[in-house]
């Protein structure tokens, strides 16, 4: 009995202690949760982007400051004293059809105006074929993208421009009575003066078909500096988007500005055409690799490309011939010190590989936006305008093979053992009926574009125009793939050239992809935990890319391909108070930097740039950004064996003062 009694007392004690413990815990929990605020998801951006909703943040000069060494350059594309108005009586009419995307169209129109001035011809408003072939778009040709009246009025002292041919000549054009030419983008002025001018005077009308993104060589003799300045006036002033595009584009910029933070524009440049030309198929996976190889095979067949079909894409990347992938760009920006809350505007109406390739970038920068984030569907549909409905693409299964064809295939199947018969038919799902899913496994040839494909190409002209406006207004611009070596104009180069013309000191990155590839090869196996000295190398290279050194290096590559990507020295002037820059000449001996004229007196307001190694300095202490960058903890780096854990750095962004 005593033993049983002791057990009862022990059990009772345990129960009493348990109840007391529960009561104490409940009371403490009630006391501690008085000041706890329930979790609530907070959106990164105001829902309606109303002005004033975003908190005003002071710009970090190390990330958004202007480039001191380039502040002396000012835009100056006006004609000089020896330039005369066009003659009232021209040698004839020039009409043109322009094929290609946004960048090819813009470059081709600039060349057409220059050619018309060279031949003293009347230019008929060129036809943009991407809009005409889109079947059902109400806007016609040039006015689908640009303002015709502005174009004609601004260039009235340069060339005579007409909207259409006279009726008598229009009938003859319909009967193909006038000679038509397909000039290359490297055609020289002598070609037009010696070959085309006599035919123009004889027939009074000639036609040009431009599909290579240009019709006149980029670098012209020094005696034709006025022709180069004319190109600048066309691209940077005369070619104004139609009012609806401008209004929506500036509305997008205002929405970004209303957030109270500077923003960076990034154009990936992932286009199937460029990827196929440079042999970058292996950078992608699955069917995207096959699509690139399909296009490359077609280029080889059309003699656009004289190389092997299969190339080592990784070797091409090491040579700087492949784009920087969005993941790599995200790491570069993080190393430069851009916090995860940085607003990044994603330009580019077409990104080959889709949203999948953007996942790493979006994971590093939560505020990555594009036009769909800033524009409603109604705004974009209003911009496109009314369109006639298109018939739906009805899926047609491949034709069934006859018994005789099946027997022939069986005999051609190779040595025995014969392959197994195909599995039984399965239902064809909806996602396999659309786009390239329907043809890539059925036929070796790519089908002709459907009416909807043509319409989407026309829509991309509008989306690229909006992205162009936002990219010009951005506080910083980063190109993913510019000057790819194909000789075709590209979007990023156009933006970089325009920013160089308007505000040379704006923060425009010009990375050397070959150098960047070497840097990434050093940490390819440990991409997110680089050594501390690696981050220093990246910062040095990117800071130098924005200064004179990077500008000169880029000009040696880009100007021979497209003048508008580097409109110096013809279209700029230098303030008299600035130090005389080094005169740099290209391979042909012509000046590409340092030969700018002295600006007129009314432009002498620019500050004298401070002398520095790379021109990127903090105005506070005069130390280059990469030397005073405070987002890397050296002591922590040393503890980790000389490595910098980027994941730790990124986590610290939440604790950083945005005003820093």
């Amino acid at each position: 009995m005593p033993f049983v009694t002791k057990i009862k007392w022990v059990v009772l004690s345990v129960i009493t202690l348990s109840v007391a413990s529960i009561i104490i815990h409940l009371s403490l929990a009630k006391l501690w949760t008085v000041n706890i605020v329930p979790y609530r998801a907070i959106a990164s951006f105001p829902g309606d982007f109303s002005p004033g909703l975003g908190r005003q943040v002071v710009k970090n000069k190390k990330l958004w400051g202007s480039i001191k060494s380039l502040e002396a350059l000012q835009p100056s594309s006006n004609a000089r004293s020896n330039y005369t108005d066009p003659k009232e009586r021209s040698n004839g009419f020039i009409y043109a059809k322009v094929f290609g995307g946004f960048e090819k169209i813009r470059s081709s129109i600039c060349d057409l105006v220059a050619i018309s001035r060279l031949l003293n011809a009347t230019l008929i408003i060129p036809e943009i074929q991407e809009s005409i072939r889109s079947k059902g778009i109400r806007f016609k040709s040039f006015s689908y993208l640009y303002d015709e009246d502005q174009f004609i009025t601004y260039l009235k002292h340069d060339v005579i421009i007409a909207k259409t041919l006279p009726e008598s000549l229009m009938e003859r054009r319909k009967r193909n009575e006038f000679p038509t030419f397909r000039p290359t983008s490297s055609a020289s002025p002598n070609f037009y003066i010696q070959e085309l001018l006599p035919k123009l005077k004889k027939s009074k009308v000639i036609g040009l078909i431009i599909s290579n993104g240009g019709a006149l060589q980029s670098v012209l003799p020094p005696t034709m500096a006025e022709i180069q300045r004319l190109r600048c006036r066309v691209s940077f002033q005369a070619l104004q988007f139609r009012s609806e595009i401008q209004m929506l584009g500036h509305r997008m910029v205002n929405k970004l500005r209303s957030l109270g933070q500077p923003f960076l524009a990034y154009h990936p440049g992932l286009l199937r055409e460029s990827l196929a030309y440079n042999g970058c198929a292996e950078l992608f996976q699955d069917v995207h690799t096959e699509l690139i190889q399909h296009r490359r095979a077609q280029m080889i067949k059309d003699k656009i490309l004289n190389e092997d079909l299969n190339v080592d894409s990784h070797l091409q990347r090491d040579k700087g011939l492949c784009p920087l992938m969005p993941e790599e760009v995200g790491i570069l920006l993080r190393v430069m010190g851009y916090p995860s809350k940085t607003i990044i505007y994603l330009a580019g109406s077409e990104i080959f590989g889709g949203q999948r390739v953007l996942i790493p970038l979006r994971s590093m920068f939560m505020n990555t936006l594009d036009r769909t984030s800033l524009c409603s569907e109604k705004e974009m549909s209003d911009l496109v305008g009314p369109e006639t409905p298109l018939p739906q693409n009805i899926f047609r299964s491949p034709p069934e093979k006859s018994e005789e064809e099946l027997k022939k295939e069986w005999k051609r199947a190779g040595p025995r053992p014969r392959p197994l018969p195909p599995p039984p038919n399965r239902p064809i799902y909806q996602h396999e009926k659309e786009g390239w899913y329907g043809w890539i496994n059925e036929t070796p040839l790519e089908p002709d574009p459907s009416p909807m494909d043509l319409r989407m190409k026309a829509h991309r002209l509008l989306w690229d125009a909006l992205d162009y406006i936002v990219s010009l207004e951005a506080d910083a611009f980063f190109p993913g793939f510019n000057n790819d070596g194909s000789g075709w104009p590209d979007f990023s180069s156009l933006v970089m050239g325009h920013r160089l013309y308007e505000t040379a000191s704006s923060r425009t990155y010009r990375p050397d992809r070959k150098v960047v590839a070497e840097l990434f090869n050093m940490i390819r196996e440990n991409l997110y935990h680089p050594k501390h000295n690696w981050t220093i190398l990246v910062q040095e290279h990117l800071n130098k890319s924005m200064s004179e050194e990077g500008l000169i290096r880029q000009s040696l590559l880009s100007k021979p391909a497209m003048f508008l990507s580097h409109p110096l020295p013809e279209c700029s002037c230098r303030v008299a108070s600035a130090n005389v820059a080094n005169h740099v000449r290209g391979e042909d001996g012509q000046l590409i930097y340092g030969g700018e004229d002295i600006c007129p007196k009314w432009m002498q307001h620019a500050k004298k740039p401070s002398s520095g190694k790379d021109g990127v300095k903090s105005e506070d202490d005069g130390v280059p950004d990469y030397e005073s960058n405070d987002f890397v903890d050296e002591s922590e780096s040393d503890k980790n064996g000389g490595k910098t854990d980027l994941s730790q750095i990124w986590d610290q962004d939440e604790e950083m003062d945005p005003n820093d």
Side-chain angles (χ1 to χ4, degrees):
M1 279 304 284
F3 179 74
V4 175
T5 304
K6 290 182 180 179
I7 293 177
K8 289 181 179 180
W9 278 108
V10 171
V11 173
L12 183 61
S13 301
V14 172
I15 294 174
T16 304
L17 291 174
S18 300
V19 173
S21 176
I22 292 173
I23 294 173
I24 293 173
H25 279 82
L26 289 175
S27 60
L28 291 176
K30 183 178 181 180
L31 177 63
W32 291 344
T33 55
V34 170
N35 296 325
I36 293 179
V37 179
Y39 172 77
R40 181 176 57 186
I42 301 176
S44 300
F45 292 97
D48 57 355
F49 290 97
S50 300
L53 286 180
R55 185 176 62 173
Q56 190 66 28
V57 178
V58 179
K59 284 186 179 181
N60 186 335
K61 298 174 184 177
K62 300 174 184 177
L63 300 178
W64 308 104
S66 62
I67 312 303
K68 298 296 182 181
S69 60
L70 299 179
E71 288 183 349
L73 294 174
Q74 301 294 327
S76 178
S77 61
N78 294 333
R80 305 304 190 253
S81 58
N82 57 350
Y83 191 79
T84 59
D85 288 354
K87 299 178 181 178
E88 294 183 0
R89 184 173 181 179
S90 66
N91 292 324
F93 296 90
I94 294 178
Y95 69 90
K97 295 181 179 181
V98 181
F99 293 84
F102 174 86
E103 55 278 348
K104 287 186 177 181
I105 290 171
R106 195 173 184 90
S107 179
S108 299
I109 293 174
C110 296
D111 286 357
L112 278 172
V113 175
I115 292 167
S116 300
R117 172 75 188 191
L118 198 63
L119 301 181
N120 187 31
T122 299
L123 175 65
I124 305 301
I125 293 288
E127 300 173 1
I128 299 176
Q129 295 301 300
E130 295 295 348
S131 60
I132 293 177
R133 298 172 64 196
S134 60
K135 300 188 183 216
I137 289 181
R138 297 289 179 86
F139 295 106
K140 256 189 98 175
S141 194
F142 189 89
S143 60
Y144 179 69
L145 196 58
Y146 295 110
D147 187 339
E148 281 188 359
D149 295 332
Q150 163 72 15
F151 183 70
I152 295 172
T153 303
Y154 193 89
L155 296 175
K156 64 182 180 180
H157 297 296
D158 298 295
V159 291
I160 302 174
I161 302 176
K163 292 188 177 182
T164 58
L165 283 170
E167 291 185 4
S168 58
L169 298 178
M170 183 68 74
E171 294 296 327
R172 294 180 59 187
R173 178 189 170 182
K174 292 179 180 179
R175 297 192 296 267
N176 296 325
E177 296 182 6
F178 300 124
T180 304
F181 304 90
R182 293 178 177 268
T184 63
S185 58
S186 59
S188 65
N190 291 334
F191 166 76
Y192 291 99
I193 295 174
Q194 298 175 6
E195 300 290 335
L196 265 63
L197 183 57
K199 297 177 181 178
L200 175 63
K201 290 181 177 179
K202 182 179 179 181
S203 63
K204 295 301 179 183
V205 180
I206 61 172
L208 299 179
I209 299 177
I210 305 175
S211 58
N212 296 319
L216 184 64
Q217 69 184 38
S218 174
V219 180
L220 298 178
T223 55
M224 293 186 176
E226 290 298 342
I227 298 295
Q228 300 289 59
R229 280 189 278 272
L230 175 58
R231 277 172 159 175
C232 292
R233 290 197 294 276
V234 176
S235 179
F236 306 141
Q237 278 130 15
L239 278 179
Q240 298 290 332
F241 300 115
R242 59 183 170 95
S243 58
E244 295 86 354
I245 298 176
Q246 290 194 55
M247 289 175 60
L248 183 55
H250 290 299
R251 197 180 306 152
M252 293 166 63
V253 174
N254 291 336
K255 288 179 180 179
L256 290 168
R257 295 289 183 211
S258 68
L259 303 176
Q261 300 183 45
F263 70 95
L264 179 143
Y266 161 56
H267 186 267
L270 297 176
L271 301 177
R272 184 183 172 202
E273 199 87 1
S274 301
L275 294 167
Y277 185 90
N278 292 281
C280 304
E282 296 175 6
L283 300 184
F284 296 84
Q285 297 176 355
D286 306 330
V287 74
H288 294 96
T289 298
E290 295 187 42
L291 285 168
I292 294 175
Q293 290 298 84
H294 263 275
R295 187 69 190 99
R296 184 173 174 84
Q298 188 63 38
M299 287 181 174
I300 295 173
K301 182 179 179 181
D302 296 340
K303 297 183 179 180
I304 299 175
L305 192 61
N306 187 22
E307 294 181 7
D308 295 333
L309 176 62
N310 297 312
V311 294
D312 187 348
S313 299
H314 300 287
L315 182 60
Q316 295 290 92
R317 179 176 59 187
D318 292 342
K319 294 179 181 178
L321 298 177
C322 288
L324 298 175
M325 300 302 288
E327 179 182 18
E328 296 174 332
V329 173
I331 292 175
L332 294 177
L333 295 177
R334 299 296 293 145
V335 169
M336 284 297 295
Y338 289 96
S340 60
K341 293 182 179 179
T342 301
I343 302 173
I344 294 182
Y345 181 81
L346 193 65
S349 60
E350 180 184 359
I351 299 177
F352 188 78
Q355 294 296 317
R356 182 174 65 175
V357 300
L358 298 174
I359 291 175
L361 177 67
R362 292 184 183 275
S363 66
M364 298 181 212
F365 295 94
M366 64 181 76
N367 298 331
T368 300
L369 309 175
D370 55 19
R371 72 174 185 281
T372 60
S373 307
L374 302 173
C375 301
S376 64
E377 292 185 5
K378 185 179 184 305
E379 287 177 322
M380 291 192 285
S381 62
D382 291 344
L383 182 65
V384 170
E387 295 179 327
T388 56
L390 295 176
Q392 294 182 352
N393 293 331
I394 302 175
F395 174 73
R396 297 178 181 178
S397 59
E400 296 184 2
K401 298 177 181 178
S402 63
E403 292 186 6
E404 185 177 350
E405 291 175 338
L406 292 173
K407 288 180 180 179
K408 288 182 179 180
E409 289 186 3
W410 181 260
K411 292 178 181 179
R412 294 196 304 265
R416 289 175 175 78
R418 297 292 176 85
L420 295 174
N425 292 333
R426 61 173 179 81
I428 298 178
Y429 299 101
Q430 180 64 31
H431 72 273
E432 296 179 307
K433 301 177 184 179
E434 303 173 353
W436 40 263
Y437 288 102
W439 64 265
I440 196 166
N441 290 323
E442 301 293 341
T443 173
L445 300 177
E446 187 170 351
D448 294 331
S450 65
M452 182 56 70
D453 293 333
L454 295 175
R455 176 167 288 183
M456 291 306 298
K457 284 186 177 180
H459 290 178
R460 289 193 191 105
L461 298 179
L462 302 178
W463 312 150
D464 283 337
L466 294 176
D467 292 342
Y468 192 81
I469 294 173
V470 177
S471 298
L472 291 182
E473 296 290 336
D475 297 278
F477 179 76
F478 197 103
F481 198 27
N482 69 298
N483 191 31
D484 57 11
S486 63
W488 300 321
D490 61 87
F491 184 93
S492 292
S493 293
L494 276 180
V495 172
M496 294 164 72
H498 201 152
R499 289 171 65 90
L500 176 62
Y501 170 80
E502 291 286 353
T503 312
S505 60
S506 61
R507 208 168 183 88
T508 304
Y509 289 93
R510 305 176 184 89
D512 186 341
R513 291 189 301 275
K514 185 176 180 180
V515 174
V516 173
E518 293 175 356
L519 290 171
F520 273 112
N521 287 339
M522 296 166 57
I523 62 163
R524 190 67 66 180
E525 300 299 327
N526 203 10
L527 204 59
Y528 289 90
H529 302 278
K531 294 183 179 180
H532 177 70
N533 60 348
W534 184 85
T535 63
I536 299 297
L537 293 175
V538 171
Q539 294 160 18
E540 286 180 350
H541 174 70
L542 292 181
N543 278 295
K544 289 179 180 179
S545 73
M546 293 183 288
S547 64
E548 288 183 343
E549 182 177 336
L551 178 62
I552 293 170
R553 182 197 61 79
Q554 185 66 35
S555 65
L556 293 171
L557 299 173
S558 60
K559 189 169 183 177
M562 184 175 63
F563 171 74
L564 295 177
S565 65
H566 184 79
L568 299 182
E570 295 89 347
C571 299
S572 292
C573 63
R574 187 176 293 273
V575 296
S577 59
N579 295 331
V580 178
N582 295 327
H583 289 65
V584 181
R585 299 181 181 272
E587 295 181 356
D588 55 358
Q590 293 194 35
L591 282 171
I592 60 173
Y593 184 76
E596 297 82 14
D597 296 336
I598 300 299
C599 294
K601 292 182 179 180
W602 62 271
M603 298 179 69
Q604 301 297 331
H605 63 277
K607 296 180 180 180
K608 182 178 178 180
S610 57
S611 59
K613 184 177 180 181
D614 63 352
V616 183
K617 289 192 174 183
S618 171
E619 295 180 2
D620 297 329
D621 51 13
V623 181
D625 291 351
Y626 59 84
E627 292 181 4
S628 61
N629 196 308
D630 54 1
F631 81 98
V632 176
D633 187 352
E634 296 188 24
S635 59
E636 192 67 27
S637 167
D638 295 336
K639 294 177 183 178
N640 294 333
K643 292 187 177 182
T644 302
D645 190 342
L646 291 185
S647 61
Q648 295 177 2
I649 296 172
W650 300 343
D651 291 340
Q652 294 173 2
D653 290 335
E654 304 298 331
E655 304 174 2
M656 292 177 63
D657 185 359
N659 294 326
D660 186 14

